[in-house]
Amino acid sequence: MLAVIESLPAYLAGFQMTLYLTVVSGILSLLLGTLLAAARVSPLRSLRSVSTFAVELGRNTPLTLVFVFFVFILPGVGIILPLGTLPAIIALTVYTSAFVCEAVRSGINSVGIGQAEAARAIGLGSIGTLRLIVLPQALRTVVPPLISVLIALAKNTSVASGFAVVELTATGRALARDYPADVIWMLLGVAAFYLLITIPAGYAASRIERRVVFSR
């Protein structure tokens, strides 16, 4: 236990990196995932096909393989990204946005078709109907599942530890190596810092879900 207390500065540094990856990748994933969801319900067949292919590829590809693509494969074709947080953010965003897309798409499909028809009847086009009528209602209902996706993202940042990013998991591995007699305590310390992200997020999802149900 004393080793955990002595290692708090290292834990905090790893926690800050994990939180940074979660927040930045989360924001980018929400933006990209919403755009993909809009494309998947687009009246243009070509746009639907491209977005469907991208989402299915992202959902069915292991996250580690996505990291390998951006860290090792792209440099082989001349696209070299700075090793560290940038490839990690891109990989996490590409992977997570596919799940965000499916959550948002389910919310879009839950909005009554009559509202879209009424919007078009008053002169709104497809983009205007989606932006002003459908998406505001859809996003309200999918906040809890989106938070679940972001909780999964926070845990998925651990994959970055294998690609030159010193976040919580990499920090825990280094501390376990430095304190072999306190390996269990070191790993419990890592778990505790992950819980600082996941438990408040889960509580927020429950509160929002109750408010959405009540408002209905």
Side-chain angles (χ1 to χ4, degrees), residues 141-186:
T141 62
V142 300
V143 168
L146 283 179
I147 292 180
S148 297
V149 171
L150 295 179
I151 290 174
L153 168 62
K155 294 182 288 186
N156 286 338
T157 57
S158 61
V159 177
S161 65
F163 297 89
V165 180
V166 184
E167 41 67 74
L168 266 178
T169 299
T171 299
R173 188 165 59 233
L175 291 175
R177 185 174 59 248
D178 294 339
Y179 297 91
D182 298 293
V183 171
I184 294 178
W185 284 109
M186 294 295 104

Side-chain angles (χ1 to χ4, degrees), residues 7 12 22 29 34-35 55 68 73 76 89 93 109 117-118 135 147 150 162 176 198-200 203-204 206 212 214:
S7 303
L12 289 173
T22 302
S29 297
T34 302
L35 289 175
V55 170
V68 168
I73 304 301
I89 289 172
T93 298
N109 290 336
E117 292 174 347
L135 270 182
I147 292 180
L150 295 179
T198 58
I199 288 181
Y203 177 74
S206 298
V212 168
F214 178 76

Side-chain angles (χ1 to χ4, degrees), residues 92-162:
L92 288 167
T93 298
V94 168
Y95 182 78
T96 307
S97 62
F99 296 91
V100 170
C101 170
E102 288 303 281
V104 174
R105 187 170 71 94
S106 68
I108 292 174
N109 290 336
S110 70
V111 177
I113 192 171
Q115 299 196 40
E117 292 174 347
R120 285 193 290 269
I122 63 174
L124 285 177
S126 298
I127 296 177
T129 300
L130 184 66
R131 182 172 61 89
L132 299 174
I133 306 298
V134 178
L135 270 182
Q137 297 181 70
L139 292 176
R140 182 183 178 188
T141 62
V142 300
V143 168
L146 283 179
I147 292 180
S148 297
V149 171
L150 295 179
I151 290 174
L153 168 62
K155 294 182 288 186
N156 286 338
T157 57
S158 61
V159 177
S161 65

Side-chain angles (χ1 to χ4, degrees), residues 42 44 83 86 91 97 102 107 137 186 196 204 209:
S42 168
L44 297 177
L83 193 61
L86 181 59
S97 62
E102 288 303 281
Q137 297 181 70
M186 294 295 104
L196 288 178
E209 188 170 15

Side-chain angles (χ1 to χ4, degrees), residues 17 40 68 72 79 86 190 196 200 202 206:
M17 178 55 68
R40 292 205 68 178
V68 168
F72 298 114
I79 303 175
L86 181 59
V190 171
L196 288 178
S206 298

